[in-house]
Amino acid sequence: MMAKNKEPRPPSYAISVVGLSGTEKDKGNCGVGKSCLCNRFVRSKADEYYPEHTSVLSTIDFGGRVVNNDHFLYWGDVIQCGEDGVDCKIHVIEQTEFIDDQTFLPHRSTNLQPYIKRAAATKLQSAEKLMYICTDQLGLEQDFEQKQMPEGKLNIDGFLLCIDVSQGCNRKFDDQLKFVNNLYVQLSKSKKPIIIAATKCDECVEHYLREVQAFASNKKNLLVVETSARFNVNVETCFTALVQMMDKTRGKPKIIPYLDAYKTQRQLVVTSTDKFEKLVQTVRDYHATWKTVSNKLKNHPDYEEYINLEGTKKAKNTFSKHIEQLKQEHIRKRRDEYINTLPRAFNTLLSNLEEIEHLSWPEALKLMEKRQDFQLCFVVLEKIPWDETDHIDKVNDRRIPFDLLNTVEAEKVYQNHVQHLISEKRRVEMKEKFKKTLEKIQFISPGQPWEEVMCFVMEDEAFKYITEADSREVYSRHQREIVEKAKEEFQEMLFEHSELFYDLDLNATPSSDKMSEIHAVLSEEPRYKALQKLAPDRESLLLKHIGFVYHPTKETCLSGQNCMDIKVEQLLAGSLLQLDHGRVNFYHDSANIDKVNIFILGKDGLAQELANEIRTQSTDDEYALDGKIYELDLRPVDAKSPYLLSQLWTSAFKPHGCFCVFSSIESLNFIGESIGKIRTEASQIRDKYMANLPFTLILANQRESVSKNLPILRHQGQQLANKLQCPFIDVPAGTYPRKFNETQIKQALRGVLEAVKHNFDVVSPVPTIKDLSEADLRIVMCGMCGDPFSVDLILSPFLDSHSCSAAQAGQNNSLMLDKIIGEKRRRIQITILSYHSSIGVRKDELVHGYILVYSAKRKASMGMLRAFLSEVQDTIPVQLVAVTDSQADFFENEAIKELMTEGEHIATEINAKFTALYSLSQYHRQTEVFTLFFSDVLEKKNMIENSYMSDNTRETTHTSEDVFMHSPRGSSLAYNYYPDSEDDTEAPPPYSPIGDDVQLLPTPDRSKYRLDLEGNEYPSHSTPLNCHDHERNHKVPPPIKPKPIVPKTNVKKLDPNLVKTIEAGIGKNPRKQSRMALAPTDDIDQSDNYAEPVDTVFKHRGVTDDIYAIPDDSQNRVVKIRNSFIINRAQGDEENGFPDRISKTQGERRPSKYKYRSKTLFSKAKSYYRRAHSDASDDEAFPTSKTKRKVRHRGSEEDPLLSPAETWKAGIDNPAITSDQELDDKKMKKKTQKVKEDKKQKKKTKTFNPPTRRNWDSNYFGMPLQDLVTPEKPIPLFVEKCVEFIEDTGLCTEGLYRVSGNKTDQDNIQKQFDQDHNISLESMDVTVNAVAGALKAFFADLPEPLIPYSLHPELVDASKILDKTERLYELKEIVKKFHPVNYEVFRYVITHLNRVSQQNRTNFMTADNLSICFWPTLMRPDFENREFLSTTKILQSVIETFIQQCQFFFYGGEISETSDSVAHQPPPPNPVQMVDPILPLQLPPPLQPQLIQPQLQTDPLGII
């Protein structure tokens, strides 16, 4: 059973490898390759193959267990699988002959037979003989694998005869062949198979191989196998062939020729090598080690195959080559980076061509090393070259190794750098030359395309040299410069024409006629025409300017950071005397002073002598004065000291005063110069205490008994003291032995103590009954933003004064002055503002005087001054201040001379003060410059305050806070400024030079004409102060008695009790009574028991239509009172020598404005009027019909600012204009005819077609709304995109829908949408305001407004319903009448606007503000329609209601509780009104919510 279970053992064969052996004499100095052949067969792996096997052994090694005293080696066994799949074990024995390393003779062994006999033995025996591996094994058997020869004996089954066919080493091939022949004879006797192995065929000698083959061919069954142990070629084949010969069952052996076998083997090696190299190339870090990589790859089949074929050593060499390649590649990459970085380093260190143009490379290297930034660009390494240091691994260090510059590449880069600088210099020169060429071409205008200019510069040398891109870049730069310059000049021109823009007050909107007037005036200017090709930009600048004029803030100031308000706040924040704690404590301590610090200044040792004298009179530095002990700290400084101020004030020594001692003219001059230096340096560092340090001049006594120079010194000292405003202490009478007398010292100390006490009182005055924060005078100093002078200059008269201090907290632009005016000290608050900020102050706050500053170098500054001054009440004193560099400018510069002369002329005309400040002069920076002005203001203070309170009282008589208060008028004396001239026959000036409230002299011819109550004041809804449109005519009409007409019924009448109250108030005000005379009741026709409607009375040109219907409280009659003025008599009185009467009239007159008192100011406005209306006829310029006169409306808020008002068409009276009765009658007839024709034309229906704003054809914009929607998408895609964009990105944008976006961006949005409806607005990089503007433009371009014209009357009627709920439900029913398409879009838009209004806390756009901006867009008003104009406020309020009640109108929500702003007052019972209603001006919402004007209220008096 056991025998059956045993597996059959594979057949075992023992092969003996034999060949030439013996001493070196026998075999030469190398063997025939028996050992290598055995090694390669038994251990075929490359790492186990040893090419060297020695046969020379020591006795010990020969006796070891491996050799075992035998002349053969046991190589071990190999299990081989044949082609038939049968395994066999092959034991390999090598027969050799070991040589003693001592005797070099064969070792003696147990078998003493010669090699030939011994090698042919078939039975071998050697007990415990170990397997041989390599020569190193001998003597160290324990370190190698120990495997014994089986059973200590083997039977040889075949022989492998090795013949070396290489050249051999000191061996003749014939001798080897002879030896082989003898050996073969012995082997053949054993009857064992034999195969010849031709060894070392890789070094084969052909004829040797042929001889071997010839030898074998002569023998029977003797095969020759060509082998190479080195390359492992046919090694296994020869052993396999021998086994096949031993085992006949295995078939006939196949012998492969060497070359074929070699090719097969090499192909195997090459394939394996390629695979291994690819495997190695996966390693990318040249820091990797073979140990790490081999451990990672040891299980990879490609790695194992290559190791087996080529060995670990070759594999490691391959890996090392790869690593070295990686390293060199990294170094090359770093070198390329450094070389590429060199130009940048050269640009940094060697950027000056003039410096390096002629330097050699070594000189350039030395120059670079001296540069400050050298270490930033280069690094000097301790070891070189750089690529063999660790610097190659510092990837983050971008500095270039300095030794790299020693290469040829670096030098070449340097040469290229120099050449680049030369060519770049040439290129820059040519570009600048081309730029100058463009500057010489006069016809290049801003905005002109390059293509229009290019043909004129084709032959220019510079143009030919530079590239097309450079030429375009230069031209673009040139265009930017001239465009920027043109825009700056255009903006400056707008400021120069300030009178054009500042005739309206804040928060107003110019009408279309006003815009036409502006363009008409500006179009004559070359600076206007210069931007002809940039008309959109010009219009944008103009609108931006207008927007700023009517909504001025320092944040939106066109001068940016040069805004006067910003600069003043910055200056005052750092310069005002804020009384820091140190100074306050210092002064406070000075009030009860115990220690006095004295600074003594002198020359030639005088200072030290005075200090010694004071110490002599002191006890331990304590000085007794007036019964009190003072500790004195003296600091003498001689003339030789160069640091006066640094010694004067230190942290340890702060002087209370300075003693200046002199004894000669030289020392006196030194003192004067020193004090000047101290004050100058103190003013430069803004040290107010040092600038006002008390000085005392002390004259030293002369040692001589009589001094001839003493009177001169006394006189000169007194003069200097007067100049410096300090005390002078003379030498007392008598003869004294010392230079200084005790009386002098005590007098000087008393002066210091009094000065310290005075300074303390000034800086920290004792509180009086009046609050310290309350000012006696409030002065406003106005300056123009962007003027070419420092704010510090105009404030220096105040800031350099020791009496200047900060105003109340929060008043960042004000300061306080404590100044003695008259006999008392006054507190003057000076507020420094820009002109644009001063406009609001001029109207709303009490101001006692204005200091108006302008630059004599800038016309715009004077223009702004004129515009501002024109609207200032002439009761308020004004000081004009011209600012320039020096007095020489007046004589050297005609433009400066003209502006200074104009300012002085205006000041003369209005009886104002005029002065000049010079930036190069210190004298004019003193507070005394304004002393006379302050005195004048104080003198007129009561009159100014009474006038201000009177104006406030009149304002309170009106219901609305926005009621326009007519400015006070001037007196008849103003006519003296306007002698008869030809100019007077032209169009009347825009402002009357005579006021409303002149003193009416009793004239029989005039006494029966009716007058207005309170002059011509009447309630009117309007914008704040100073609107041209509301100035009234004051011409003297001819004596025409109004004809009576049939009394009308249902006339609105005033409450008699109210009339009594009014009359009582008038009677209690003597000033008002003195300003006007009410016609006696006896002169009133008793038959006039009616109130005569305005439109039924024939009015002569110039007669105002302001009429009050005043019912008599007793007879219930209506008395109509008109404006009538008796002016000629006043003039006659003056001409006939009655100045007293004139002066009385002027003294008691009602305040007017300065524009009526200055011919310069008045004629400027008049010239604008004439230029704007030079093409208009008399009839157009001075309409008298009621229809024309009633249009007093500022218009809508739509962009651009449109209004039907014709601001300048309400003729202004000029007494110089003749009032010929016949001429007036002719013109009156023409007017009557024209009125009739106008009434006929009004009956005809006129279609209103708004002008399109697009300048391109569109298949979308301007199309009917029905063509742009579908039932699936009821909202136009463009509207939807705009709304989504606004709600996603800009719902909180301040001023949304009010602030105009860029016109070009709006057009681009529509153009891009025209081309691609799927365009994304987010990708266009446009502002929210531009998208909002494009959305409004979409509705403006619709053929019909979103809210149909047919429903406008219904909306107006519904808005008049008094009950809120009923009114809202009626409006809801009207909305349902919209076309379905319009309804959906309207609902969508209103919903969006409701969402916008909900963010009003951040965007400041309430429903009211949004309705102002949107109602013209949604309703498309026809401003030429007189009937439509009367409903503008109502329609705006309707839109506001829709926005507020959005949920109620469109989503079934409840009525929200909001302020009811819809104008719903019922119409008056009588359709004929006594006075034409003054339509309220629609104001755009201001930038700050606190400035939003309250809603206009209805008139409670029922006059309107």
Side-chain angles (χ1 to χ4, degrees), residues 1021-1022 1192-1195 1432-1433 1478-1483 1496:
H1021 298 285
S1022 178
R1192 299 281 183 167
H1193 177 66
R1194 290 289 177 205
T1432 52
K1433 176 63 180 175
I1478 303 300
L1479 297 177
L1481 177 64
Q1482 305 302 321
L1483 306 179
L1496 298 175

Side-chain angles (χ1 to χ4, degrees), residues 1055-1108:
D1055 182 2
N1057 295 326
L1058 180 59
V1059 176
K1060 287 182 180 180
T1061 305
I1062 294 175
E1063 292 175 346
I1066 295 174
K1068 291 178 182 179
N1069 192 334
R1071 290 188 69 231
K1072 293 185 179 180
Q1073 283 186 333
S1074 67
R1075 287 201 304 265
M1076 66 164 293
L1078 198 61
T1081 55
D1082 295 340
D1083 292 338
I1084 299 177
D1085 189 353
Q1086 299 298 322
S1087 64
D1088 291 347
N1089 189 11
Y1090 57 86
E1092 185 174 338
V1094 176
D1095 55 355
T1096 64
V1097 181
F1098 173 82
K1099 295 186 293 296
H1100 189 272
R1101 188 180 70 173
V1103 179
T1104 182
D1105 48 3
D1106 297 341
I1107 302 173
Y1108 285 124

Side-chain angles (χ1 to χ4, degrees), residues 279-294:
L279 202 60
V280 170
Q281 286 174 359
T282 59
V283 179
R284 302 307 305 167
D285 183 7
Y286 67 88
H287 296 96
T289 61
W290 168 248
K291 182 177 181 182
T292 304
V293 174
S294 60

Side-chain angles (χ1 to χ4, degrees), residues 595-599 615 621 631-635 652-653:
K595 181 179 180 181
V596 182
N597 300 331
I598 302 296
F599 181 76
R615 292 190 180 105
D621 290 334
E631 181 183 352
L632 299 183
D633 189 353
L634 307 179
R635 184 69 57 89
F653 183 83

Side-chain angles (χ1 to χ4, degrees), residues 431-443:
K431 287 176 66 176
E432 288 305 313
K433 186 176 179 181
F434 180 61
K435 177 72 165 55
K436 292 180 180 178
T437 302
L438 293 176
E439 291 173 356
K440 294 177 183 178
I441 302 177
Q442 299 296 329
F443 61 81

